Amino acid sequence: MELSHHERRKEVRVAADAELTLVVDDPLPAEVHGRLVDISRSGFRAHHSYPRFQPGQQVRFRYPASEGQARVMWNRILDGRVETGFLVL
């Protein structure tokens, strides 16, 4: 029996709903505003409108409980909504 995606997760994720700002310098400078979906000890997932994130790309982030740098782990677009998973560095 294959485990579902959720069951393979190594860390507990906690639902979140807070404003988030992401700052990208490469390839072009951009400030992206979005919303947190969930957070874990080492990362977070967010909805936003910036479809250009690429896995491995580094960003600066800021939300009410934290700020720092993160690496894009994955990016997907579903029904016009962009969702990205980040690993906090």
Side-chain angles (χ1 to χ4, degrees), residues 20-88:
L20 167 74
T21 301
L22 301 159
V23 178
V24 179
D25 292 325
D26 184 35
L28 297 172
E31 184 171 284
V32 178
H33 298 279
R35 301 234 22 117
L36 285 174
V37 175
D38 59 37
I39 58 175
S40 70
R41 189 180 66 195
S42 64
F44 58 93
R45 181 169 52 120
H47 287 151
H48 53 84
S49 61
Y50 187 77
R52 295 185 181 108
F53 284 127
Q54 296 296 314
Q57 184 175 22
Q58 289 191 20
V59 302
R60 292 186 310 277
F61 70 89
R62 183 176 59 252
Y63 57 87
S66 187
E67 65 180 72
Q69 293 193 346
R71 177 177 294 124
V72 174
M73 300 306 293
W74 52 266
N75 194 50
R76 67 178 165 215
I77 302 170
L78 299 170
D79 298 327
R81 178 183 233 170
V82 184
E83 183 176 86
T84 306
F86 297 90
L87 173 67
V88 175

